[in-house]
Amino acid sequence: MSDSQAAEATLTDEQRSAVDRLLRSVGSVVTELGERFAAAGHELAIVGGPVRDALLGRPVHDIDLTTDAVPQRVLELVDGWADAVWTIGIEFGTVGLRKNGQQVEITTYRSESYQVKSRKPEVSYGDSLYGDLVRRDFTVNAMAVRLPGGEFVDPFGGLADLADRRLRTPGRAEDSFNDDPLRIMRAMRFAAQLGFSLDEGVRTAATAMSDRLRIVSAERIRDELVKLMLSPNPRVGVALMTDLGVADHVLPEIPKLKLTVDEHHRHKDVYEHSLTVLDQAIDLERARGMEPDLVLRLAALLHDIGKPKTRSFEPGGKVTFHHHEVVGASMSRNRLSALRFPKDVVNDVSKLVSLHLRFHGYGKGEWTDSAVRRYARDAGPLLSRLHILTRADCTTRNRRKAAALARAYDDIERRIERLEQEEELSKIRPDLDGNEIQEVLGIGPGPLVGQAWRFLLELRLENGPLGKEAATEALRRWAAERE
């Protein structure tokens, strides 16, 4: 099919209105660009996500443009017109610019493909809009609006797939995924983000070719996983990844959770439990008016990944997972580090995983105030997330048990709030600082000061505020016992 065959598609009045709204929303800058390119004999079109989202009634944020002009020619066309130009993506055919406060990216018609063992795609430029669209990931992203006239182009039935909420590739799915294996992850992400189903060809190819993800950089896979986890329904994406074998190459710990169901089914399905905890954490997140929280969602999904390694069968058929939170914290750290997540995300998720069982020692409120202080202090700035994760971790169908756990956690939250008001738990420090410790003990800076500080902190957590006089006496007794 040539560009002449990829002519304007027939739109309903509602769809035409959506395209018109898109053109109005992109503003005069984009229209002026279209006129500028047309006057120079070049094509320009809005393409991909902005067109899809406009037709879905979703907010349009980034404006992606495509053209037959090569990057150097694009630079010539915007020279002296744009307020700022950047070329950070020029090796992939992309030029960015800003005009009157609006940012756009212009990419030359192109195709990308990976060699068998390459981690970087090879980019080649094309000369037709159809040639550019046929190499895009899915039909719903292979629609365009020509500028400056506003003609709508849909050579592969993207409109019909939008209506059916279906992800399908413009050509053979195998060819598409071979060109860029990351598209397999994008399919999972779009399913979670947009609520679309996968065409059978996409499902089959994703399963058969998931091992091709090994040649894609960890950073690109991580970015897709982040978008999936922050989507409205990450469970859909995670379940697809697991069912199609994709998770084996991205989060292999998740499908292994299915192996923790023993042949007698004497304990819950840990895989389904983990997905339910993720759902419930998101429900609590929304109920509290929070934005999608990556750390919380990752912790909810990964909180039990230590169970397969710690499973043990005891007399009478009882199944235990002793210290699975410790093992799971280490596994979470390793997996997220391998995916190149930022250190703060790695640290926060692994800490939440390590703490997620702590509350279950609370019983009916038997904890002393010192134990409550330790719980809050150990969680530190993650306390609000730990509250949500702990509540979400209750998936029992026994209503009486679920209600009892909820009441117990209500109680601990009230106690933390009371102690917070009384003592500012997050700012708890020993009653003596480092200089005062040195003065009391008659020593200079050194390891002993740190040991004394930690002793006084433990004392403070155990007993609450002591005052400087009592703390000084306790410190002297401690030092005397060490001699």
Side-chain angles (χ1 to χ4, degrees), residues 437-454:
I437 289 171
Q438 292 177 55
E439 183 178 342
V440 169
L441 298 182
I443 59 174
L448 186 59
V449 177
Q451 295 170 20
W453 190 92
R454 288 189 289 275

Side-chain angles (χ1 to χ4, degrees), residues 222-269:
R222 174 205 63 207
D223 290 347
E224 287 298 326
L225 181 60
V226 167
K227 293 173 183 176
L228 186 158
M229 292 301 297
L230 294 178
S231 71
N233 196 353
R235 179 193 184 114
V236 168
V238 173
L240 272 175
M241 287 172 60
T242 304
D243 293 344
L244 302 183
V246 176
D248 294 339
H249 306 283
V250 180
L251 289 174
E253 297 81 4
I254 300 304
K256 288 179 181 178
L257 293 177
K258 289 189 172 184
L259 303 179
T260 58
V261 179
D262 65 276
E263 67 273 21
H264 301 297
H265 298 279
R266 286 180 173 140
H267 66 276
K268 68 181 72 174
D269 181 334

Side-chain angles (χ1 to χ4, degrees), residues 308-364:
K309 285 190 175 182
T310 58
R311 181 177 62 166
S312 177
F313 296 95
E314 298 187 354
K318 183 179 180 181
V319 182
T320 61
F321 305 97
H322 293 307
H323 305 301
H324 76 268
E325 74 281 11
V326 177
V327 173
S330 176
M331 292 172 65
S332 298
R333 179 177 295 279
N334 291 339
R335 176 55 53 200
L336 296 179
S337 296
L339 287 169
R340 303 292 192 270
F341 275 88
K343 285 186 177 180
D344 59 334
V345 174
V346 175
N347 292 337
D348 288 351
V349 172
S350 59
K351 187 170 184 179
L352 282 171
V353 172
S354 73
L355 292 173
H356 83 272
L357 278 187
R358 182 77 69 86
F359 163 73
H360 293 284
Y362 189 71
K364 296 181 179 179

Side-chain angles (χ1 to χ4, degrees), residues 169-242:
T169 53
R172 288 189 344 126
E174 291 82 359
D175 295 335
S176 181
F177 293 164
N178 192 59
D179 283 347
D180 185 356
L182 187 68
R183 290 173 176 175
I184 297 171
M185 274 297 293
R186 286 170 66 82
M188 311 297 116
R189 188 252 290 187
F190 282 130
Q193 199 173 55
L194 302 176
F196 283 17
S197 64
L198 270 56
D199 174 76
E200 190 57 37
V202 171
R203 294 179 66 93
T204 300
T207 300
M209 303 179 68
S210 60
D211 63 337
R212 287 278 285 158
L213 285 167
R214 291 180 298 179
I215 71 168
V216 181
S217 70
E219 289 83 359
R220 294 187 75 206
I221 291 175
R222 174 205 63 207
D223 290 347
E224 287 298 326
L225 181 60
V226 167
K227 293 173 183 176
L228 186 158
M229 292 301 297
L230 294 178
S231 71
N233 196 353
R235 179 193 184 114
V236 168
V238 173
L240 272 175
M241 287 172 60
T242 304

